[in-house]
Amino acid sequence: MDLKLLTYIIVGLSFVLYIGVAIWARAASTGEFYVAGGGVHPVVNGMATAADWMSAASFISMAGLIAFLGYGGSVYLMGWTGGYVLLAVLLAPYLRKFGKFTVPEFIGDRYYSRTARIVAVVCLIFISFTYVAGQMRGVGIVFSRFLEVDITTGLITGMGLVFFYAVLGGMKGITYTQVAQYVVLIFAYTIPAVFIALQITGNPLPQLGLGGTVESGEPFLHKLDTVVQELGFAAYTSSSMSTINIFAITFALMAGTAGLPHVIVRFFTVPKVKDARSSAGWALVFIAILYTTAPAVGAMARYNVHATVNSAVTASGGDLFATDSALLYEARPEWMRRWEQTGLLKFEDKNGDGRIQYYNDKNTSAGFTARAEAAGWKGNELTVDNDIMVLANPEVAGLPNWVIALVAAGGIAAALSTAAGLLLVISAAISHDLLKGVFMPHISEKSELLAGRLAAAVAVMIAGYLGYNPPGFVAQVVAFAFGLACASLFPTILLGIFSKTMNKEGAISGMLVGLGFTFGYILYFKGIFITPMAENIPANWLFGISPEGIGMVGAILNVVVALVVSKLTAPCPDHIQHMVEDIRTPRGSGLAHSH
């Protein structure tokens, strides 16, 4: 069957499934709209959380980062999974015991301040819209390639679908839709990985195939290292990042994970406090299936791209600089032709020989430059966008059309599941935290529900624009959202749980300083909506920390400012201190027992 038709069928069936689930599980009350009625089983919630968490960044972009960064890409694996440990141990059970609908509601009540609640909403909106920009870009990429429509049309289609099941179903509809999306995305990610691991290493388990051998008997990673180094790139199994930057990015991603409002709110949907921690454990299990597969996917995708462009890659002792080793542009495979149409794969024939030279022309070492010049190479001629590596991987490997179509459905599922969760969080912040919590406390439940749905509709429109004009590639945009969460909400929530004396003035000051500093730093180097004010290179970074990791500095500033201001202002009221003690004390721990 034709690939385009097959893709339409598989993606269309997945859409029917999501819409059907949303109709079946539609929300009838504010409790169901915001927290699914608080009755979701921890295993189901764990699977929904995994889908909510494994966004377009995890499915589409993370393996692309690993493909090009090599060992350095492990910061994303460590940070994004380690954050769940922080969440399960430090936040989830306490927030569930508090029993409110949203993160700003917790902050407003804990810090006995409407202002604190409003500042938390502002932080949440900054974080969520930055995050959703990455998801909508992912939707546009998948639609533009696999459904062969322009990115604008793809975005509008994705926006319509998210609007339907997020607005109609609320958290209840999203929860069960995300379970279906998890099933789709995990099969879409692992099935191609199994095929490709078998092709390259003969091992059906990608995790083991990564440490396996190629057909010649050479270890796969050693072979990949040899290829990329000979072509002027850094060794795949080494990292060019500084130690401080690795630490900062990992910390920012971990603390950002624990502070993400759309992830935290998932732990309000379970019946009991212990279920919150159990949900986090199950989420880690479901996430691990994809995250342990990602390094193999990234490495094998990188190998396959080089093997496609340069036939000497797979030959034992082949000369990568031989003239006939480089692929003739006119003989390029069909997958390259299709991805060129999206603008995410580009070829420029710099030496006019009609062949594709793909190498690191920024490598200025004398020996390498001499070899490149002797071969007649005039510069790298192929530009490959990070975000296409996973999506193009099955096509590069020549897998069956149904596998390629399944990957398209999985990429869309990953992006839409997270987008829906983010839009609901934004909706709840506006309707529940601002409208009901601050401006119209006596609004009826019916009116609040309507306001929530209208807020979601507006949020969908803004998300679509951000997807059309994003400030970076998918995983990079998402990393910025984690930095903002790390610097603003995470320290404030943590201090609210574990410090009885932290007062409202300290919390508000800390959030504003952390958010302002981190957003300003990202704006300075990345230029979201404006032209960057400085080149984004290590020489210009503060303490050698990139915009992706600056959230760590923002978090430190948040805590320092909060503690100092708290000491200089009125103490926290006694009833709030007693409330904090109650949140931290397990039920029944104070009861006497006979021996």
Side-chain angles (χ1 to χ4, degrees):
M1 186 182 292
D2 176 67
L3 174 59
K4 184 177 179 181
L5 177 60
L6 188 60
T7 303
Y8 270 103
I9 290 171
I10 291 179
V11 171
L13 287 174
S14 70
F15 283 5
V16 169
L17 174 63
Y18 306 152
I19 292 169
V21 171
I23 293 172
W24 167 74
R26 62 187 179 276
S29 67
T30 52
E32 290 184 344
F33 188 80
Y34 294 134
V35 292
V40 180
H41 191 280
V43 176
V44 173
N45 194 54
M47 191 177 290
T49 304
D52 201 354
W53 169 243
M54 290 190 299
S55 62
S58 291
F59 189 97
I60 296 173
S61 199
M62 183 175 65
L65 278 171
I66 295 170
F68 290 104
L69 291 176
Y71 179 74
S74 62
V75 294
Y76 292 90
L77 292 170
M78 293 186 294
W80 284 340
T81 51
Y84 261 94
V85 178
L86 291 183
L87 188 61
V89 174
L90 298 179
L91 302 187
Y94 305 108
L95 290 174
R96 176 61 188 86
K97 188 175 181 182
F98 191 70
K100 297 295 183 179
F101 282 163
T102 66
V103 171
E105 189 171 20
F106 166 77
I107 289 175
D109 287 1
R110 162 59 184 87
Y111 293 109
Y112 51 97
S113 167
R114 284 186 175 185
T115 304
R117 188 169 182 170
I118 293 171
V119 171
V121 169
V122 171
C123 294
L124 181 148
I125 288 173
F126 268 88
I127 294 162
S128 298
F129 273 124
T130 304
Y131 203 154
V132 85
Q135 309 316 308
M136 299 314 289
R137 170 172 160 81
V139 170
I141 289 171
V142 176
F143 272 105
S144 66
R145 161 60 195 90
F146 290 101
L147 302 185
E148 296 181 20
V149 297
D150 60 81
I151 286 182
T152 303
T153 304
L155 277 172
I156 292 171
T157 306
M159 286 161 59
L161 186 65
V162 171
F163 174 78
F164 182 85
Y165 68 76
V167 172
L168 175 68
M171 181 59 81
K172 185 179 178 184
I174 285 173
T175 295
Y176 293 100
T177 303
Q178 285 174 337
V179 170
Q181 287 168 330
Y182 175 80
V183 174
V184 171
L185 74 87
I186 205 67
F187 275 104
Y189 201 86
T190 54
I191 287 175
V194 168
F195 274 109
I196 294 168
L198 270 171
Q199 278 186 354
I200 295 177
T201 68
N203 194 317
L205 288 177
Q207 296 89 338
L208 299 180
L210 185 64
T213 59
V214 295
E215 189 175 353
S216 64
E218 186 178 2
F220 168 68
L221 285 175
H222 183 267
K223 174 71 173 177
L224 182 56
D225 262 351
T226 301
V227 169
V228 297
Q229 285 181 286
E230 194 167 346
L231 290 171
F233 298 99
Y236 191 82
T237 53
S238 67
S239 173
S240 58
M241 287 190 195
S242 66
T243 302
I244 181 64
N245 203 32
I246 289 175
F247 184 84
I249 293 175
T250 303
F251 180 91
L253 294 175
M254 286 180 67
T257 297
L260 282 177
H262 77 288
V263 174
I264 291 173
V265 76
R266 290 235 54 94
F267 299 101
F268 297 155
T269 67
V270 292
K272 299 189 291 288
V273 173
K274 73 172 185 178
D275 293 336
R277 186 168 278 142
S278 177
S279 285
W282 280 108
L284 270 173
V285 170
F286 292 124
I287 290 168
I289 299 172
L290 188 147
Y291 271 50
T292 56
T293 307
V297 171
M300 292 176 187
R302 177 80 175 271
Y303 179 82
N304 275 335
V305 168
H306 283 297
T308 300
V309 176
N310 196 319
S311 61
V313 166
T314 56
S316 181
D319 181 8
L320 301 183
F321 289 84
T323 302
D324 59 354
S325 177
L327 177 69
L328 277 168
Y329 179 69
E330 290 303 318
R332 68 194 185 282
E334 191 61 33
W335 73 266
M336 293 184 75
R337 299 173 190 269
R338 289 192 289 253
W339 278 102
E340 278 182 303
Q341 293 172 12
T342 68
L344 300 173
L345 184 76
K346 298 175 184 176
F347 168 70
E348 180 186 359
D349 193 0
K350 293 181 178 178
N351 63 356
D353 68 350
R355 293 182 178 272
I356 303 173
Q357 279 87 44
Y358 180 39
Y359 69 107
N360 182 16
D361 55 4
K362 294 181 175 59
N363 187 328
T364 55
S365 61
F368 179 78
T369 302
R371 289 193 69 186
E373 288 176 352
W377 294 4
K378 303 296 184 183
N380 177 56
E381 298 177 343
L382 189 69
T383 303
V384 184
D385 192 286
N386 285 7
D387 290 339
I388 78 169
M389 295 303 285
V390 170
L391 299 174
N393 205 14
E395 298 176 272
V396 179
L399 299 186
N401 283 348
W402 68 267
V403 178
I404 298 170
L406 182 62
V407 169
I412 293 170
L416 294 183
S417 63
T418 303
L422 289 164
L423 292 171
L424 188 67
V425 163
I426 295 168
S427 165
I430 293 169
S431 63
H432 187 71
D433 291 306
L434 289 184
L435 198 63
K436 184 176 179 64
V438 178
F439 300 115
M440 299 175 65
H442 302 298
I443 190 174
S444 69
E445 183 173 299
K446 183 178 180 181
S447 298
E448 184 186 349
L449 198 58
L450 176 62
R453 286 174 167 150
L454 289 174
V458 174
V460 166
M461 300 297 178
I462 298 172
Y465 171 76
L466 292 172
Y468 181 75
N469 186 29
F473 56 84
V474 175
Q476 189 180 51
V477 175
V478 169
F480 298 154
F482 282 82
L484 294 174
C486 170
S488 58
L489 294 181
F490 176 73
T492 307
I493 297 169
L494 196 66
L495 290 170
I497 294 170
F498 292 100
S499 171
K500 294 192 297 182
T501 58
M502 179 55 57
N503 64 12
K504 62 182 180 181
E505 290 84 3
I508 293 168
S509 302
M511 280 191 288
L512 289 174
V513 168
L515 179 71
F517 169 79
T518 305
F519 188 75
Y521 191 88
I522 293 170
L523 201 68
Y524 187 74
F525 286 109
K526 301 305 297 183
I528 305 174
F529 303 124
I530 63 171
T531 303
M533 289 172 266
E535 189 179 358
N536 187 24
I537 57 173
N540 292 337
W541 295 341
L542 181 67
F543 308 126
I545 299 174
S546 68
E548 290 83 2
I550 200 64
M552 182 183 77
V553 179
I556 293 170
L557 287 174
N558 183 330
V559 172
V560 170
V561 168
L563 290 173
V564 170
V565 171
S566 184
K567 292 292 184 184
L568 298 176
T569 50
C572 184
D574 289 341
H575 73 279
I576 297 296
Q577 296 192 40
H578 291 314
M579 181 182 74
V580 174
E581 284 184 0
D582 182 61
I583 292 172
R584 293 213 314 253
T585 305
R587 286 190 177 92
S589 62
L591 299 179
H593 297 275
S594 59
H595 297 280

